């Protein structure tokens, strides 16, 4: 299957991921507990990656999920950069096996849209 080449964001109608995440004004305490949990860690690779090529890497608007290849073993693992989450809750709904459990962030953390 060939990769789709989308046009670059024009800054008028379409925007790059980083500046869109910046607009959410999201903040978290540096060492707050991870609010994104996997019900089964093995499913992230054995089903999500092996069958679907980890759709969470593509649908998450904040780039929270990454597939990292272990340089020693050559095995893949799912890395969750929960501090980047903008709490859209897409992963909680869209995960093919409902393996990702989104929990509300600690009080007063999360997105803070200044113009809403
Ligand atoms: S709720 Fe899930 S999909 Fe949305 S930004 Fe956070 S990790 Fe990404």
């Amino acid at each position: 299957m060939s990769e789709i080449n989308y046009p670059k964001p024009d800054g008028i109608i379409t925007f790059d991921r980083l500046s869109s995440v910046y607009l959410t004004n999201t903040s978290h305490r540096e060492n707050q507990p991870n609010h994104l949990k996997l019900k089964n860690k093995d499913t992230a690779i054995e089903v999500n990656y092996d069958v679907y090529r980890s759709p969470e890497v593509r649908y998450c608007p904040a780039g929270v999920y990454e597939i990292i290849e272990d340089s020693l073993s050559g095995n893949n693992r799912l890395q969750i950069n929960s501090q980047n989450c903008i709490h859209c809750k897409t992963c909680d709904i869209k995960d093919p096996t409902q393996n990702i459990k989104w929990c509300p962030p600690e009080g007063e953390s999360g997105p803070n849209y200044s113009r809403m």
Side-chain angles (χ1 to χ4, degrees):
M1 188 187 308
S2 64
E3 193 170 312
I4 301 171
N5 286 316
Y6 293 102
K8 290 205 178 303
D10 61 11
I12 299 168
I13 296 174
T14 56
F15 301 89
D16 65 280
R17 181 179 281 189
L18 202 59
S19 51
S20 296
V21 169
Y22 174 77
L23 290 175
T24 67
N25 205 12
T26 298
S27 67
H28 298 104
R29 190 167 56 84
E30 191 61 40
N31 56 350
Q32 81 168 235
N34 182 4
H35 67 281
L36 300 162
K37 303 183 187 318
L38 298 178
K39 292 176 187 164
N40 182 338
K41 285 186 177 177
D42 295 336
T43 302
I45 297 301
E46 291 171 4
V47 178
N48 280 36
Y49 182 78
D50 289 347
V51 178
Y52 302 109
R53 283 295 179 264
S54 300
E56 62 273 25
V57 171
R58 295 183 296 280
Y59 65 62
C60 172
V64 167
Y65 299 98
E66 288 181 88
I67 293 294
I68 307 284
E69 186 181 322
D70 186 293
S71 56
L72 295 176
S73 68
N75 294 331
N76 291 319
R77 67 178 174 82
L78 180 67
Q79 177 164 303
I80 303 176
N81 304 303
S82 60
Q83 70 279 10
N84 295 343
C85 177
I86 61 170
H87 304 285
C88 67
K89 211 171 181 294
T90 303
C91 54
D92 196 63
I93 298 163
K94 203 169 166 101
D95 184 72
T97 58
Q98 298 290 287
N99 190 41
I100 299 173
K101 185 172 180 344
W102 174 91
C103 304
E106 272 187 346
E108 297 185 24
S109 66
N112 183 10
Y113 293 94
S114 58
R115 293 188 184 170
M116 292 182 81

